[in-house]
Structures are given as structure tokens and as C-alpha cells.
């Protein structure tokens, strides 16, 4: 493993994407009357479903973000997802999530949170944010930021198919740094891991900018990004005491901004301020935007 401040580059080569980019583009190119059948408001399960460029009520992106996204997950029946994704869900998803689970278990040990292994094995699943950034200039946001800065909702976020140019992260001094394109599995900590470790391991603030060699005011290249998030399954209760004291100091993650989740957890679970339902946790995560 290679450690940058907040960025984990594993020794694992990028996993096979099974033509997922072509399938995502095919879905986005479908008529609106078809795509609207798969909006997040139809699923009403975690973040599952479709979000479109300019949408004001997406749980997955802001109205100024220049992308279309579709969240696939373990949390909805496979049959509920569009036909375009069915071959991948049948032939690629089981092997992908199995490989990711092995990687994440190793990372949890390296980060010194072995106490999370038991709840991770018992109740965690995965969701994938499949992101498509169209080419061209007309719909690109001011300043060239294609996806605005944010920490992820996840325990861990992995890019199983590697990383393209454009991904940036914020260091401890607040400066934005580019993640070097990589054909290995890359990841970082999400906001759930920050909450569970009481801030010892901190969520990475990141964004997608215009990418290497692309200037504001010039056409942007088509871009795909596939990030896999580990999350407890709906109906699960998560607790800080599951982590306990670290067996050793894990790699430090740069502080981005004060976490607001502790106060929300206390409001949602006054009898046990160190525990929160996954639904309340997601609501807390979204509260800074919605």
C-alpha cells in the first residue's frame, strides 16, 4: 500500500469494469420518459437510483454539478435496476464486491480499527456511484469544477477500476491537490469512519475539477468515474463502541472541516449518544446540503 495524506493506493491492479462505462452512457442517452422511471424518488432506498445534470433534489449531487449518476447497490433487488445494468449486476457485481470486501478488511486492519471487522462482516453492504460527465462546454459549471467538494457518506470509498484525471483532494492546509491517474484500486476514508473513530481517522474532502490540460472555457472531455461505498444495510444501528481503542495508530487523515455528525447522533438517539441508526446517519450526512 502507498499512503498519501488521506489517499490510499493499493497494490491491487484495477479490477475489470465489464463494459460498465458503455452501459452507463447507453442509459443516459435513453429518452427522459425512460430515465425518469429510475429516479431516486422511485427507489426510496439509501441513495439508489438516477440523478441528472441540473437536478435540484438529488441525494447524490448538486444542481451545479456537471454529471449524470446512477447508484447501484446491494440494498435494492437486482431486478429493480434498468436493463442496461443487468449484465453487469449478474456477471460483474458479485465478484467485484467480494474482491472489494477483501481489500477493505485489510485496510481496516491497517487503519487500526479491527473492532469494525465484526460489524462490517455482519451488516455492511455496498453501493456504487456510477458517474458520467458528458463532453462539451455548454453545460460545464463556472470555474471548471465538475463535481463540487464533499466528503463521502461511506465507511471507505474505493475506486475499483482505477482513477482518471480530474479527481482532487484537500490537504491539511486547505490546498487542493490532484490525485495522479492510476490503474490500481485507490481509496480513502468516508464520513462514517470519521464518526466511528471520533475523528481519529478523518473523511477526505474531494472534488472533480477540469482535469489535466483542460482550461476553463474550452470543451471538456467525456469522463467516467465509478466509486464503491461501504455502508451498513438499511435498518442497521451503528455504534462507536464497536470500534474501541485502536490497537495501534493508523495513518493520519487530514482534517477538512469539523464533523457535525456527533451532535446529530445525540439528537437522534438521546438515550445512547454513541449510537445512531443508519437512516439517521444518512440524514445527518445530507443535512449540510439539503
Amino acid at each position: 500500500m502507498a499512503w498519501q495524506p488521506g489517499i490510499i493506493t493499493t497494490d491491487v491492479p484495477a479490477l475489470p469494469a465489464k463494459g460498465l462505462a458503455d452501459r452507463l452512457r447507453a442509459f443516459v442517452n435513453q429518452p427522459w420518459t425512460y430515465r425518469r422511471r429510475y429516479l431516486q424518488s422511485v427507489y426510496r432506498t439509501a441513495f439508489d437510483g438516477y440523478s441528472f445534470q441540473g437536478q435540484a433534489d438529488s441525494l447524490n449531487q448538486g444542481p451545479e454539478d456537471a454529471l449524470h449518476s446512477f447508484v447501484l447497490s446491494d440494498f435494492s433487488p437486482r431486478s429493480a435496476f434498468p436493463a442496461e445494468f443487468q449484465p453487469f449486476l449478474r456477471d460483474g457485481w458479485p465478484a467485484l464486491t467480494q474482491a472489494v470486501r477483501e481489500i477493505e478488511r485489510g485496510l481496516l486492519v491497517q487503519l487500526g480499527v479491527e473492532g469494525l471487522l465484526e460489524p462490517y462482516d455482519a451488516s455492511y453492504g455496498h453501493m456504487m456511484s456510477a458517474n458520467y460527465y458528458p463532453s462539451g462546454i455548454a453545460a460545464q459549471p463556472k470555474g471548471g469544477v465538475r463535481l463540487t467538494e464533499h466528503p463521502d457518506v461511506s465507511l471507505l470509498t474505493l475506486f475499483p477500476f482505477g482513477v482518471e484525471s480530474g479527481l482532487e483532494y484537500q490537504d491539511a492546509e486547505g490546498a487542493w491537490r490532484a490525485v495522479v491517474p492510476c490503474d490500481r484500486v485507490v481509496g480513502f476514508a468516508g464520513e462514517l469512519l470519521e464518526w466511528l473513530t471520533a475523528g481519529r481517522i478523518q473523511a477526505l474532502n474531494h472534488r472533480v475539477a477540469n482535469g489535466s490540460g483542460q482550461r476553463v472555457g474550452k470543451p471538456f472531455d467525456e469522463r467516467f468515474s465509478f466509486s464503491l461505498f461501504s455502508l451498513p444495510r438499511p435498518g442497521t444501528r451503528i455504534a462507536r463502541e464497536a470500534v474501541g481503542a485502536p490497537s495501534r495508530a493508523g495513518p493520519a487523515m487530514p482534517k477538512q472541516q469539523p464533523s457535525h455528525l456527533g451532535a446529530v447522533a445525540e439528537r437522534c438517539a438521546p438515550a445512547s449518544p454513541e449510537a445512531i441508526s443508519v437512516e439517521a446517519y444518512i440524514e445527518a450526512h445530507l443535512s449540510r446540503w439539503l
Side-chain angles (χ1 to χ4, degrees):
M1 306 284 181
W3 300 87
Q4 292 175 251
I7 298 289
I8 308 163
T9 302
T10 76
D11 298 327
V12 181
L15 302 173
K18 303 286 187 181
L20 189 54
D22 291 338
R23 299 185 187 282
L24 177 58
R25 185 195 296 109
F27 173 82
V28 171
N29 287 335
Q30 289 281 8
W32 167 246
T33 52
Y34 175 81
R35 286 180 286 144
R36 68 183 297 180
R37 292 159 48 189
Y38 299 101
L39 290 170
Q40 289 176 328
S41 57
V42 175
Y43 285 82
R44 304 183 69 84
T45 300
F47 294 78
D48 292 1
Y50 172 54
S51 298
F52 56 89
Q53 189 168 337
Q55 183 178 354
D57 60 351
S58 169
L59 303 180
N60 205 44
Q61 62 195 60
E64 68 277 24
D65 294 332
L67 76 157
H68 298 258
S69 63
F70 203 110
V71 174
L72 308 165
S73 84
D74 293 322
F75 309 138
S76 294
R78 181 187 299 173
S79 59
F81 295 109
E84 287 81 3
F85 300 114
Q86 290 300 320
F88 169 76
L89 291 170
R90 182 187 65 242
D91 302 329
W93 182 261
L96 173 66
T97 52
Q98 181 179 351
V100 163
R101 292 188 78 86
E102 293 177 6
I103 295 168
E104 289 183 329
R105 292 186 96 262
L107 292 178
L108 292 175
V109 172
Q110 291 201 26
L111 289 167
V113 286
E114 290 93 333
L116 271 176
L117 290 174
E118 184 175 350
Y120 176 86
D121 289 338
S123 61
Y124 277 65
H126 287 88
M127 75 179 207
M128 172 183 280
S129 183
N131 301 331
Y132 174 60
Y133 300 80
S135 60
I137 189 172
Q140 299 304 334
K142 182 179 179 181
V145 176
R146 305 179 84 174
L147 178 63
T148 48
E149 63 181 83
H150 63 284
D152 284 342
V153 69
S154 58
L155 180 75
L156 293 167
T157 295
L158 292 187
F159 292 83
F161 311 136
V163 174
E164 295 185 13
S165 65
L167 181 63
E168 297 183 346
Y169 70 95
Q170 196 171 28
D171 67 17
E173 285 71 45
W176 287 100
R177 299 185 179 275
V179 177
V180 177
C182 183
D183 60 357
R184 296 183 180 183
V185 177
V186 173
F188 48 77
E191 203 167 31
L192 179 56
L193 188 55
E194 178 176 336
W195 185 78
L196 285 168
T197 61
R200 182 175 70 84
I201 300 172
Q202 291 161 3
L204 190 72
N205 207 30
H206 58 285
R207 67 185 186 184
V208 174
N210 56 357
S212 175
Q214 291 185 311
R215 293 176 296 168
V216 176
K218 298 294 183 181
F220 284 67
D221 293 337
E222 182 182 60
R223 184 182 189 273
F224 294 91
S225 176
F226 301 95
S227 50
L228 206 62
F229 300 169
S230 46
L231 273 176
R233 296 179 181 276
T236 303
R237 196 163 182 81
I238 49 181
R240 280 193 176 122
E241 56 262 33
V243 177
S247 59
R248 62 183 181 279
M253 300 295 178
K255 186 62 179 173
Q256 312 302 333
Q257 53 187 310
S259 174
H260 64 301
L261 293 174
V264 176
E266 191 165 356
R267 291 200 303 271
C268 294
S272 179
E274 296 300 301
I276 188 172
S277 71
V278 67
E279 289 81 6
Y281 164 71
I282 290 173
E283 181 181 353
H285 172 82
L286 292 171
S287 67
R288 69 175 70 197
W289 297 287
L290 299 181

